[in-house]
Amino acid sequence: MEATDRTSQVLKEHFDRHRSSLSRSELAVAEHLLTMPIDVLIFRSAEEIAVETGTSDATVIRTAKRLGFSGLPQLKRICSRVMAKTTPAVNRLEQRFRATGDDLVRVAGQIFSEACEALTSTKDEIDEQSLYCAVGIIEESDTVWCLGMGTSETPARHCATALRRVGMRTRCSGASGFTLANELIDLRQKDVVVLFHALRDVAELKLIVDQISAIGCKVILVCGVQLREAYRGKVSAVLTCLGVRSKLASWNLSAIAIADILAYSVAVRNREQALAAKKRLADLRSRVGIAD
């Protein structure tokens, strides 16, 4: 079976490598995936593929794993990388419009489904050692700097607020260039930087990591899979967040979940500190007339 210009050569290679190990139903699913254009495949759920192939969603998920992927989300993510690099953003948005249609109830259902897929995929990527390392680093810090580049400023600000509410001293910035340089003058060796950045390994990211490390600060990078591989040995800890290739759900959803995990983990390991911070917050709110 040949891959076309709109289908995935990567998937074809996986199929050729593993086809002999597939059952009859798994083979049906695999062949269906191989003939499906990537700009269609990335919007398909396991349930929809199961209906199209007369199988079950469990069979679809099992087929993705038999083909050498961790599951359907990774299959879609890896097979669509070439499309993401070569297809202009405007064209990708047009593809999204065609795939979702304009039935708002159906669109809402698709977005909820994609959000669940992103969170589940991120849960599967959690590395226990990296999580314990990151929490320990935060606990020992003087100030936690939460930095977010571009749209990643949103989870960075969420992380700073969540950590502050459990008793950590935090600062936050979404700045870049000269403005960020001015802010980072205040960094000290006992500070920790939690850096949120999803995808592209831009020159500014490299510079920030190099400069922060040179000061002696520890860096926790919250990022996607590709940046994880590029920076695993360059920072103190890497926590991986996954989005969805369809872009119907934001990477920030997963990053915010990671921020909540970090803050709550600090709280449960430092309960008196967290309770004292909660009391101070409640007292401050009461003074400005806000009920807790």
Side-chain angles (χ1 to χ4, degrees):
M1 182 170 293
E2 296 297 326
T4 69
D5 290 343
R6 295 182 64 208
T7 57
S8 171
Q9 183 61 39
V10 174
L11 184 56
K12 173 66 165 53
E13 292 169 0
H14 278 252
F15 177 76
D16 290 342
R17 193 178 311 135
H18 298 283
R19 65 182 302 166
S20 61
S21 65
L22 301 178
S23 67
R24 182 177 299 178
S25 59
E26 291 164 355
L27 186 61
V29 171
E31 290 179 339
H32 181 67
L33 294 176
L34 190 59
T35 60
M36 191 181 298
I38 289 299
D39 57 339
V40 174
L41 173 59
I42 60 175
F43 293 97
R44 287 289 199 274
S45 66
E47 293 80 2
E48 290 171 327
I49 295 169
V51 170
E52 293 167 352
T53 56
T55 59
S56 66
D57 55 349
T59 300
V60 174
I61 295 168
R62 188 171 63 249
T63 301
K65 292 180 178 179
R66 290 286 184 90
L67 289 173
F69 302 96
S70 64
L72 184 62
Q74 188 190 52
L75 182 153
K76 293 193 290 186
R77 189 168 61 251
I78 291 177
C79 292
S80 61
R81 281 176 182 166
V82 173
M83 184 192 76
K85 293 177 180 178
T86 59
T87 305
V90 171
N91 291 5
R92 295 200 298 272
L93 180 58
E94 290 176 342
Q95 291 169 353
R96 209 173 304 154
F97 289 153
R98 290 195 297 270
T100 62
D102 56 8
D103 182 328
L104 299 189
V105 174
R106 181 172 180 269
V107 168
Q110 288 176 301
I111 290 176
F112 275 118
S113 177
E114 295 287 271
C116 289
E117 181 177 296
L119 291 171
T120 300
S121 297
T122 297
K123 177 185 175 184
D124 292 341
E125 289 287 338
I126 286 287
D127 178 75
E128 183 177 318
Q129 183 176 353
S130 295
L131 177 60
Y132 274 95
C133 178
V135 173
I137 289 170
I138 290 172
E139 288 176 312
E140 296 172 0
S141 69
D142 180 38
T143 300
V144 183
W145 293 64
C146 298
L147 306 181
M149 302 176 65
T151 58
S152 298
E153 180 182 354
T154 297
R157 293 201 174 279
H158 180 84
C159 188
T161 300
L163 286 170
R164 193 177 304 127
R165 289 182 174 182
V166 298
M168 301 302 302
R169 183 183 293 111
T170 69
R171 291 182 64 170
C172 182
S173 178
S176 59
F178 287 112
T179 303
L180 178 60
N182 287 335
E183 294 188 16
L184 295 183
I185 291 174
D186 289 339
L187 269 173
R188 299 294 182 267
Q189 282 190 348
K190 291 186 178 180
D191 293 347
V192 170
V193 174
V194 184
L195 178 57
F196 292 81
H197 188 62
L199 295 174
R200 293 177 179 83
D201 189 10
V202 296
E204 189 173 22
L205 174 61
K206 296 177 182 177
L207 179 62
I208 290 173
V209 170
D210 289 344
Q211 291 301 311
I212 291 171
S213 299
I215 294 170
C217 295
K218 293 183 177 178
V219 179
I220 300 166
L221 179 61
V222 182
C223 63
V225 173
Q226 290 172 286
L227 287 181
R228 176 186 66 191
E229 301 308 320
Y231 283 87
R232 192 191 296 274
K234 299 178 182 179
V235 296
S236 300
V238 181
L239 297 172
T240 309
C241 296
L242 298 185
V244 286
R245 190 60 74 184
S246 68
K247 301 298 183 184
L248 290 179
S250 171
W251 177 86
N252 285 348
L253 287 173
S254 300
I256 286 172
I258 291 293
D260 285 336
I261 291 169
L262 290 174
Y264 191 73
S265 296
V266 170
V268 296
R269 298 203 336 182
N270 301 270
R271 299 188 182 195
E272 290 186 6
Q273 171 186 291
L275 290 170
K278 181 66 175 178
K279 184 178 184 304
R280 290 198 302 274
L281 178 61
D283 290 344
L284 288 169
R285 284 176 168 174
S286 66
R287 292 181 186 182
V288 295
I290 300 174
D292 192 11

